[in-house]
Amino acid sequence: MPAEVSAERFTQRLTAITPSRDPAGLASALRAHEDDTFLGVRMREVFDLAKEFVDMPTAEIEKLLASPVHELRVGALSIMDKASRRKKTPPDRRAELYELYLRSPDRINNWDLVDLAAPYAVGGYLYDFGQPRDVLYTLARSKDTWERRTAIVSTLHFVRQGDLDDTFAIAEILLHDEHDLIHKPVGWLLREAGKKDRARLLEFLDRHAATAPRVLLRYAIEHLDPDQRAHYLGRKKAAAG
């Protein structure tokens, strides 16, 4: 393995960047896990560095994921995302990245980490290789918040291909989740699905707007006409009244 694409070299390069953000402020903004530490490096700089390490072996990526430093885990997941997007990435490497993601729930422990890699490392793999999607329904019923978020965010790749069934089905499972960090991505994915099939989104809202969490509803209706938004918010208000 070339030294320049090792986890050790990535760590050296990243920690040499001059911090430009307050680590405590960044941790607060991300609602980070209490065990996470931060360097204060801008995410754009992490992403730019990840481009240079896109060929990092999976075992080395796993070393980065094991770090308590949030930006190093961001780097690992950015590498996974970029490698999963590349058309020339071979199927066996795509499978390795998918499996690494799924066996790392204790390290993929924040919303930014899930959203960075789930659409392509998980959703893209399932879609591109015609794999069974049962895993997403298992994740949607997990006790772990980030596994549930992975379930819905992974369907973004499906939505972009016009494949909407799993998004609506998983949204229904997660509709009354206790956590606002699930409400937001469910609403976001419903909104994106609605761009592909407005009638199907409206049918979903007709059934669920009155009882859906407010944040979820607001995200889902963001691109509807003003009268439609008022209608669904009114149904929510009337039900809460």
Side-chain angles (χ1 to χ4, degrees):
M1 177 191 62
E4 62 271 15
V5 294
S6 68
E8 181 180 7
R9 182 57 180 157
F10 186 94
T11 301
Q12 291 170 346
R13 293 277 305 276
L14 187 65
T15 54
I17 297 173
T18 301
S20 55
R21 301 188 65 180
D22 171 44
L26 185 55
S28 177
L30 291 174
R31 298 166 64 174
H33 191 277
E34 60 183 11
D35 293 334
D36 284 4
T37 60
F38 285 80
L39 300 173
V41 176
R42 290 192 179 277
M43 293 302 164
R44 176 50 53 197
E45 293 177 295
V46 182
F47 299 152
D48 288 345
L49 185 60
K51 292 178 184 177
E52 300 180 37
F53 286 79
V54 71
D55 291 318
M56 182 183 287
T58 304
E60 293 294 301
I61 298 172
E62 191 161 12
K63 292 178 183 178
L64 290 181
L65 274 180
S67 174
V69 177
H70 191 84
E71 289 95 337
L72 288 176
R73 298 206 306 285
V74 169
L77 288 157
S78 183
I79 293 167
M80 292 169 68
D81 170 66
K82 296 178 193 309
S84 297
R85 290 173 184 256
R86 285 201 311 183
K87 294 187 182 300
K88 69 177 184 178
T89 300
D92 58 345
R93 177 158 167 82
R94 293 284 303 278
E96 287 178 358
L97 296 172
Y98 166 78
E99 291 163 3
L100 174 59
Y101 185 106
L102 291 185
R103 70 171 180 265
S104 306
D106 57 326
R107 307 314 303 154
I108 305 174
N109 64 348
N110 210 344
W111 64 266
D112 62 320
L113 303 176
V114 171
D115 294 2
L116 179 55
Y120 283 90
V122 179
Y125 174 77
L126 296 175
Y127 185 89
D128 293 345
F129 297 99
Q131 296 296 305
R133 301 178 187 180
D134 301 15
V135 62
L136 298 183
Y137 293 84
T138 299
L139 293 173
R141 295 181 171 92
S142 170
K143 294 181 179 179
D144 183 86
T145 301
W146 311 118
E147 290 191 329
R148 299 198 304 278
R149 187 167 178 126
T150 291
I152 189 66
V153 173
S154 295
T155 71
L156 179 60
H157 186 73
F158 307 163
V159 170
R160 287 171 173 163
Q161 316 309 313
D163 183 344
L164 310 180
D165 289 352
D166 295 294
T167 297
F168 282 106
I170 293 171
E172 198 139 13
I173 292 170
L174 296 174
L175 188 66
H176 299 296
D177 196 277
E178 62 185 6
H179 208 303
D180 70 319
L181 288 171
I182 302 300
H183 302 167
K184 291 177 182 179
V186 171
W188 162 37
L189 266 296
L190 287 171
R191 181 190 71 204
E192 295 306 303
K195 293 177 183 178
K196 298 288 187 178
D197 190 335
R198 178 65 56 88
R200 192 165 182 182
L201 172 61
L202 296 180
E203 189 274 333
F204 185 95
L205 293 171
D206 286 342
R207 289 188 288 117
H208 297 299
T211 60
R214 183 168 293 276
V215 169
L216 186 157
L217 181 60
R218 285 192 175 276
Y219 272 73
I221 66 175
E222 188 175 9
H223 288 290
L224 298 185
D225 299 332
D227 289 346
Q228 291 174 316
R229 293 200 302 270
H231 167 70
Y232 289 115
L233 288 172
R235 292 191 61 184
K236 174 67 178 175
K237 183 177 180 180

